[in-house]
Amino acid sequence: MKTLIIEDERSLAREIKLFLEKAFYLCDSAYNVAEAKKLMIDNEYDFILLDLGLPDGDGLELLDETKKMCPSASYIILTARGDLEDRIKGLDLGADDYLPKPFSLLELQSRMQAITRRKSGNNDPVMELGDFSIDLNKRTVYFEEKEIELSRKEFDLLSYMILHKNRPLTRLQLSEHIWGNFSDDDYDSNFIDVHIKNIRKKMSALAPVDWLQTLRGIGYKIKI
Amino acid sequence: MKLLSKLTLFITLSKLLIVVLFVLLLPSLVGYVSFQYSNYYLRQQKQKVLSEIKQNGIDYYLQGDSAYASYTMLKEEYISILPAENEMVRDTIETSKRVVGGDTLTYRILTHELTGAPKNYILEIGKTTSTIGEYNNLLQRFTLYILIGLIALSIVVDLIYTNILIRPLTKIVKTKLLNRKFPFKEPLSPIKTSTTDFQILDRSLIDLMEKIHEAFDKEREFTSNASHELMTPISILQSNVENLMMEEDISDEMQDKISAMMRTLNRLKKIVNSLLYISRIENDQFAKSDTVNVHELITEMMEELSYRLETKSIQFTNTVSKNVKIRQVNHDLFFQMLYNLVNNAIRYNKENGTITLSDQYIRGKRYRLFIIDSGAGIKPEEMGTIFNRFKKSGKADSEGYGLGLSIVKSITLFLGFEIKVSSEYGKGTVFSIEIPQEKVEI
């Protein structure tokens, strides 16, 4: 997946690039409108991550223009402005998603993945997790054809962890994904433990779940 | 008591006092006046007699007799000229009894000594006191009527004038002070009045409110700008930390530290986000065009919160009427408002506690929502500040950053609701939200 990061804060652009490259995205960076346009003429991108406040132009105007230049790309707006109006305008102009700063890189990746899934017509393969298989489209977990009943939040949690497998995930990162704006700091982190405990209980009754590791004092990790 | 009522009362009472005083004084006053008048009348009569005598001699009266006496038909007045006895009689006016024409009557009598050859005479001119009394009554009644008439007129004039005089003040109170909602957004126009004091008062109030509004605007702008400016560095930092966390071969100790950094960063992020959220509400960035069904909204909200209830085994009851809808509000803000309140109710509740959401509707009067919990309650000394930013019930640092209730307050202000809180420390808290009639649909 080829991605263009248009972000004038170089250090932020660098971090996003570093992160996405680890997740096997190919990334280019542009620090202003002019650079972005040049890159877009020469390349075709699957993803364009667009900051709204650029030094030589407004991101929303750029979005309007580039939608014509790169119609096949998916656009995610990254902004510190976060005004409701900008959000509506951005989505009206054809952005696929909108992520207010400060955002978690994990969240960015999960949004990108969701867009890919949506655009590809929900054709994710069924994933294997130990002795279990997980169907992301149907939002169900199976053990030898037998369906395991997980609550909505439990499934969200599990699929998020699978997406970010082999990475340590803090309770905070998990609760932010599950509760979004309503996440309530340390308070909610404890509920992550409750959810994980439930997931473990429901699944370990059927097969070992040693792929779900607890990182003491930090959070959890799915190791495959 | 209103100033106008006080003035009206004062004017009426003071006039009444004057009337009473006058009525009490009137008899003696009139008595004195008529007394003086009858003395004056008698002296006038004396002068007349004396000038007659001077012109025509005393015989004009005596006609050869040794004495002269005459009285009017009803004996109200008499005149007599009698030879003087030996003793000297002074010129006096006194009240005494005389027998005139067979009747004994009380007269006011002027006595005068006429000196002349061949002998001295005493002139007496009398006027019955009863005629003087008749005058008195008449005079008294007449004066009283006029007085009452004048007083009544002056009360009316006073009241009308006071009313006109006070009117600008009433207007100032009504437009500038009553029902004004912080932060005084609507522009103010000065009130027309020629009274300098009111002009000064009005001007000062307008200036004061403009200053408050300005200060509020500045604070709002600052919060908004500062929060925005903080977002980018926080964003960079967060990405840094997240990438760091994923580095391979990090010791457990490092992991712990990075995780702690992430928590602190998250705390910072939450604060900035909340401040930004508040400033967005205060900047009117939310539309007020949604209609929400309160009962359904609560059900929707409880889906998010049910886990928290379960962990503390809190019993939750929603008795809000199912058909109440609130118009011209913002769904998300309404949701956030109730969410923050219920979340607090859970947070500060005890194990096996209760939370009840109920409502009360008095047709044509008001609609109220109640959030009742059996939690820790609020100390009386903290009651005044719970809606302030960065205040929290003295609990552990990790529990929230004191912005939840500020957000609630901002939302209620924005949506035109009124929030009140009552609490008994250690027993529980009741938040009540009053929603204006015109927004309620049943």
Side-chain angles (χ1 to χ4, degrees):
Chain A
M1 291 280 203
K2 218 162 150 38
T3 304
L4 174 62
I5 302 160
I6 309 171
E7 164 66 65
D8 66 323
E9 287 289 339
R10 282 163 196 261
S11 48
L12 182 59
R14 201 168 53 230
E15 294 298 331
I16 297 173
K17 192 167 182 237
L18 191 72
F19 181 90
L20 289 179
E21 278 173 352
K22 273 196 191 153
F24 309 108
Y25 287 86
L26 291 169
C27 296
D28 287 333
S29 297
Y31 305 122
N32 52 47
V33 174
E35 280 176 34
K37 279 186 182 164
K38 220 166 88 193
L39 280 166
M40 276 189 274
I41 292 167
D42 298 338
N43 301 282
E44 200 148 309
Y45 291 103
D46 299 299
F47 276 103
I48 292 174
L49 311 180
L50 179 63
D51 179 21
L52 287 188
L54 292 166
D56 58 344
D58 185 70
L60 283 176
E61 280 166 35
L62 180 67
L63 173 66
D64 198 23
E65 261 179 77
T66 54
K67 253 322 233 189
K68 287 160 204 152
M69 286 163 72
C70 289
S72 60
S74 302
Y75 291 81
I76 297 179
I77 293 175
L78 311 174
T79 180
R81 290 209 290 231
D83 293 347
L84 211 66
E85 220 173 286
D86 276 355
R87 181 191 195 117
I88 293 164
K89 242 190 255 167
L91 295 176
D92 273 355
L93 286 171
D96 296 273
D97 209 340
Y98 181 103
L99 212 51
K101 283 181 191 170
F103 52 85
S104 155
L105 293 172
L106 299 173
E107 191 60 32
L108 174 65
Q109 196 200 334
S110 117
R111 300 278 183 107
M112 287 167 80
Q113 208 217 23
I115 291 171
T116 310
R117 199 185 310 151
R118 205 161 62 219
K119 291 209 166 169
S120 67
N122 288 352
N123 281 327
D124 274 340
V126 172
M127 300 187 63
E128 299 296 322
L129 188 65
D131 301 320
F132 300 90
S133 53
I134 290 153
D135 190 331
L136 288 176
N137 305 325
K138 290 186 185 153
R139 295 181 56 87
T140 37
V141 181
Y142 298 98
F143 175 73
E144 295 170 351
E145 306 299 312
K146 189 176 171 256
E147 196 178 318
I148 299 166
E149 265 188 46
L150 293 183
S151 75
R152 189 164 61 87
K153 293 235 183 299
E154 284 160 8
F155 188 86
D156 282 346
L157 202 56
L158 188 65
S159 58
Y160 194 68
M161 290 174 74
I162 291 168
L163 171 66
H164 300 295
K165 57 182 183 280
N166 298 323
R167 281 176 179 165
L169 300 173
T170 64
R171 291 185 181 85
L172 259 172
Q173 287 170 318
L174 295 172
S175 76
E176 200 172 58
H177 173 72
I178 299 294
W179 282 288
N181 283 336
F182 293 113
S183 95
D184 203 350
D185 315 301
D186 292 1
Y187 186 57
D188 262 348
S189 304
N190 301 326
F191 290 105
I192 294 296
D193 295 342
V194 176
H195 284 303
I196 296 282
K197 213 170 87 189
N198 286 340
I199 294 174
R200 272 214 180 105
K201 204 162 78 186
K202 285 176 188 175
M203 295 177 87
S204 63
L206 302 162
V209 287
D210 43 7
W211 40 264
L212 179 51
Q213 297 181 342
T214 303
L215 308 171
R216 211 174 49 81
I218 296 167
Y220 300 93
K221 178 159 100 174
I222 284 188
K223 192 163 183 179
I224 312 176
Chain B
M1 206 186 221
K2 282 174 92 177
L3 182 59
L4 187 64
S5 324
K6 276 193 175 177
L7 276 174
T8 309
L9 205 68
F10 168 75
I11 288 169
T12 319
L13 284 179
S14 70
K15 303 264 151 118
L16 252 154
L17 185 71
I18 289 174
V19 171
V20 168
L21 263 179
F22 195 80
V23 166
L24 287 177
L25 283 175
L26 200 58
S28 48
L29 215 64
V30 170
Y32 176 76
V33 168
S34 60
F35 177 79
Q36 289 298 328
Y37 177 73
S38 44
N39 287 357
Y40 171 77
Y41 175 79
L42 290 173
R43 276 192 204 105
Q44 287 290 90
Q45 294 300 85
K46 179 189 94 179
Q47 287 305 322
K48 231 189 257 176
V49 171
L50 286 182
S51 69
E52 288 284 353
I53 290 174
K54 205 176 175 186
Q55 233 173 23
N56 306 318
I58 196 153
D59 267 350
Y60 174 73
Y61 285 104
L62 294 173
Q63 301 282 342
D65 281 346
S66 64
Y68 166 79
S70 162
Y71 51 85
T72 53
M73 214 188 294
L74 296 174
K75 302 162 192 165
E76 304 103 330
E77 287 176 28
Y78 80 91
I79 177 168
S80 70
I81 300 171
L82 300 167
E85 304 296 321
N86 282 337
E87 73 263 37
M88 289 285 289
V89 179
R90 281 210 213 116
D91 252 5
T92 56
I93 299 176
E94 55 175 15
T95 308
S96 97
K97 286 194 161 86
R98 288 290 183 274
V99 183
V100 176
D103 289 334
T104 310
L105 295 168
T106 312
Y107 286 93
R108 183 82 189 151
I109 299 162
L110 178 142
T111 318
H112 182 73
E113 191 171 8
L114 296 167
T115 46
K119 53 181 174 183
N120 289 349
Y121 287 91
I122 290 166
L123 167 70
E124 271 190 17
I125 303 170
K127 190 171 162 43
T128 49
T129 47
S130 59
T131 51
I132 300 171
E134 263 166 39
Y135 270 150
N136 273 4
N137 280 340
L138 198 70
L139 197 64
Q140 276 186 36
R141 217 175 304 148
F142 189 65
T143 326
L144 198 63
Y145 289 156
I146 290 195
L147 181 79
I148 287 174
L150 284 176
I151 293 276
L153 184 71
S154 87
I155 286 182
V156 170
V157 170
D158 279 3
L159 289 187
I160 290 172
Y161 181 67
T162 320
N163 207 338
I164 292 170
L165 194 71
I166 296 280
R167 200 173 290 158
L169 185 67
T170 320
K171 216 171 157 194
I172 289 172
V173 171
K174 210 157 105 191
T175 58
K176 307 267 151 69
L177 299 177
L178 291 179
N179 298 320
R180 294 283 296 160
K181 281 206 172 140
F182 186 78
F184 319 126
K185 269 180 208 151
E186 318 86 72
L188 294 167
S189 52
I191 273 156
K192 273 185 205 148
T193 171
S194 56
T195 316
T196 335
D197 310 56
F198 289 156
Q199 280 171 357
I200 293 170
L201 179 68
D202 192 36
R203 195 65 250 164
S204 314
L205 277 178
I206 292 176
D207 286 350
L208 203 63
M209 282 177 173
E210 271 168 6
K211 259 181 211 152
I212 291 172
H213 185 52
E214 227 169 81
F216 180 75
D217 260 357
K218 268 189 196 150
E219 190 207 306
R220 199 169 62 171
E221 212 181 294
F222 173 78
T223 311
S224 173
N225 288 343
S227 313
H228 272 145
E229 290 306 314
L230 287 172
M231 283 308 186
T232 307
I234 292 174
S235 197
I236 297 169
L237 215 54
Q238 182 172 9
S239 308
N240 273 324
V241 175
E242 276 184 333
N243 274 332
L244 201 59
M245 185 116 191
M246 265 172 283
E247 293 281 331
E248 277 149 40
D249 315 321
I250 298 184
S251 67
D252 284 357
E253 201 187 339
M254 274 297 269
Q255 280 279 23
D256 268 355
K257 282 195 174 150
I258 295 168
S259 163
M261 267 167 74
M262 209 178 242
R263 273 202 296 278
T264 311
L265 195 59
N266 195 61
R267 185 167 161 185
L268 183 60
K269 200 166 114 178
K270 283 276 151 197
I271 294 170
V272 174
N273 264 331
S274 297
L275 286 176
L276 206 53
Y277 191 70
I278 291 174
S279 88
R280 262 180 216 145
I281 297 167
E282 286 171 351
N283 279 320
D284 293 341
Q285 285 190 13
F286 291 90
K288 283 187 243 189
S289 50
D290 303 331
T291 300
V292 297
N293 178 311
V294 184
H295 190 92
E296 281 170 19
L297 185 110
I298 293 169
T299 313
E300 180 193 337
M301 178 179 82
M302 291 325 289
E303 276 172 29
E304 299 286 333
L305 285 167
S306 54
Y307 261 96
R308 297 182 194 179
L309 287 177
E310 280 162 27
T311 356
K312 272 192 168 174
S313 310
I314 292 167
Q315 197 195 332
F316 180 83
T317 324
N318 175 9
T319 66
V320 172
S321 10
K322 288 194 168 122
N323 49 357
V324 169
K325 281 183 190 151
I326 312 293
R327 266 178 293 159
Q328 293 152 28
V329 289
N330 184 288
H331 176 273
D332 294 353
L333 290 183
F334 202 98
F335 185 96
Q336 186 77 53
M337 173 184 78
L338 287 182
Y339 184 94
N340 284 10
L341 287 172
V342 174
N343 196 25
N344 268 357
I346 300 172
R347 185 202 292 269
Y348 297 112
N349 223 317
K350 53 181 189 235
E351 293 277 328
N352 300 314
T354 58
I355 295 172
T356 307
L357 263 67
S358 63
D359 62 351
Q360 177 200 47
Y361 180 66
I362 301 173
R363 189 168 289 281
K365 268 195 162 170
R366 59 171 172 262
Y367 179 75
R368 274 188 189 153
L369 267 176
F370 298 100
I371 296 99
I372 306 155
D373 71 58
S374 63
I378 302 161
K379 284 183 192 153
E381 64 265 29
E382 284 169 350
M383 279 296 239
T385 55
I386 56 159
F387 291 112
N388 294 4
R389 291 178 197 179
F390 302 114
K391 289 270 175 192
K392 63 180 165 189
S393 165
K395 294 269 163 168
D397 284 341
S398 56
E399 292 192 3
Y401 307 107
L403 283 167
L405 284 179
S406 313
I407 290 177
V408 169
K409 181 80 186 173
S410 303
I411 295 176
T412 54
L413 267 178
F414 177 73
L415 294 179
F417 302 166
E418 200 177 327
I419 186 160
K420 282 189 189 129
V421 58
S422 62
S423 179
E424 198 176 332
Y425 187 61
K427 288 246 173 97
T429 308
V430 179
F431 281 94
S432 84
I433 300 166
E434 188 164 332
I435 298 172
Q437 261 314 286
E438 63 271 17
K439 293 198 173 192
V440 183
E441 214 174 85
I442 291 192

